[in-house]
Amino acid sequence: MYAALGVNKCMPHSHGSQGCCAYHRSHLTRHYKEPVVATTSSFTEGASVFGGNANLKTALSNIFSIYDPEIVAVHTTCLSEVIGDDIPSIVSKAVSDGVVPEGKTVIHANTPSFKGSHVDGFANQCEAFVKYLAESSGETKNTLNLFPGWIEPADMRELKRLATLVGVEFIMAPDTSDVLDSAMDGNYEMYPDGGTSVADLKAMGDSFLTLGLGPLASKPAAAALEQKCKVPSQLLELPIGVSATDDYINSLRLAGDTSVPNELERERGRLIDMIS
């Protein structure tokens, strides 16, 4: 769900009970002090026995008619995973039945709470964006894919700042900056301006390289993109500390065939001076 919030005009959808969705929303809302919105299939006893097919189709119909997102990212819960709901088949039937409006998209990721951790769920959702959306036109563009890993919105903003200063064109996916840390201006926006656009997610297949930060969170998506669209990938540790940050900036420099700007050299020098 956290990964889905990093995509522009995306509605996260929890395929399970209301309680499963309420926990996710309350946890993220309390942490970020932002009104996190997500929908649910609202399983009852009947859906728990016979499956959530009808619940998901009804939910998708309501979501698109009421909230009008560009994309719905369905993630499973322990309940729907135990039942064994076939989400791709349900979504495919919803598309053929006209439940999903033309030009809109529904993707899914398997995120059972009894397997792995929240970081595994994040990685699965990032991989799903690649599998469903990334496309290759056959023409490689001078753009770098940047998978930020499991980090905070402010960290994502800093990663983008560094890449911009080095002079590299990039697509960051997902990007929760300006979504989960938006400014307080007195106006509520269900879909803030931040987040990776669906067009950029599709364009990742034409990039010349993928940099994945934090192997646990970024490797599945980077590997899926390399297999699907033949975009080579490089995995780095999260740029925490001088050495790992040096590796990140140097990888950007080599990828973009540029030089490290004086501004970053001075920032690094001030840090080393402080440590000394």
Side-chain angles (χ1 to χ4, degrees):
M1 179 174 168
Y2 177 66
L5 291 168
V7 174
N8 188 255
K9 291 204 74 174
C10 179
M11 177 63 71
H13 179 80
S14 178
H15 187 55
S17 68
Q18 290 186 8
C20 297
C21 186
Y23 172 76
H24 298 153
R25 286 186 302 195
S26 63
H27 177 75
L28 291 171
T29 297
R30 287 172 180 173
H31 179 74
Y32 292 108
K33 303 297 186 290
E34 296 278 355
V36 173
V37 177
T39 55
T40 174
S41 295
S42 297
F43 275 28
T44 58
E45 291 86 348
S48 301
V49 175
F50 299 108
N53 187 336
N55 292 59
L56 182 53
K57 288 181 67 177
T58 300
L60 290 174
S61 177
N62 290 336
I63 291 166
F64 284 114
S65 62
I66 297 172
Y67 303 114
D68 191 31
E70 188 171 348
I71 178 172
V72 174
V74 179
H75 66 92
T76 58
T77 64
C78 50
L79 183 55
S80 56
E81 287 282 350
V82 169
I83 295 170
D85 272 352
D86 185 354
I87 309 298
S89 295
I90 298 173
V91 171
S92 178
K93 187 68 165 58
V95 172
S96 63
D97 290 347
V99 174
V100 180
E102 189 174 349
K104 305 290 187 178
T105 306
V106 179
I107 72 167
H108 98 285
N110 294 96
T111 55
S113 57
F114 49 76
K115 181 180 179 182
S117 70
H118 56 293
V119 181
D120 292 286
F122 173 86
N124 291 348
Q125 185 72 80
C126 293
E127 183 182 15
F129 284 122
V130 169
K131 288 184 173 180
Y132 274 91
L133 297 172
E135 301 173 351
S136 175
S137 66
E139 179 185 354
T140 302
K141 298 179 181 177
N142 190 34
T143 305
L144 174 80
N145 294 324
L146 190 55
F147 294 150
W150 178 266
I151 55 176
E152 295 289 283
D155 298 318
M156 294 187 184
R157 182 176 289 105
E158 177 65 6
L159 292 179
K160 292 192 295 181
R161 185 185 75 89
L162 294 175
T164 301
L165 286 172
V166 174
V168 178
E169 293 186 29
F170 63 90
I171 297 172
M172 177 179 281
D175 180 7
T176 58
S177 63
D178 294 317
V179 177
L180 293 174
D181 63 349
S182 56
M184 182 175 289
D185 57 7
N187 297 315
Y188 170 69
E189 292 184 51
M190 182 169 289
Y191 304 113
D193 291 334
T196 312
S197 68
V198 172
D200 279 345
L201 290 171
K202 292 180 178 180
M204 290 191 302
D206 286 334
S207 297
F208 69 90
L209 178 68
T210 296
L211 277 186
L213 306 180
L216 180 62
S218 298
K219 183 177 180 180
L225 188 58
E226 187 163 359
Q227 181 179 13
K228 181 179 181 181
C229 300
K230 311 305 179 188
V231 180
S233 61
Q234 179 183 355
L235 295 176
L236 302 173
E237 294 298 331
L238 287 173
I240 300 172
V242 177
S243 179
T245 304
D246 282 350
D247 290 341
Y248 171 60
I249 292 176
N250 193 47
S251 295
L252 291 173
R253 176 187 66 83
L254 293 174
D257 192 21
T258 62
S259 58
V260 178
N262 291 333
E263 181 177 345
L264 290 183
E265 293 281 8
R266 288 193 296 270
E267 283 186 20
R268 186 183 188 279
R270 282 193 295 271
L271 174 61
I272 298 299
D273 180 67
M274 239 179 5
I275 293 173
S276 299

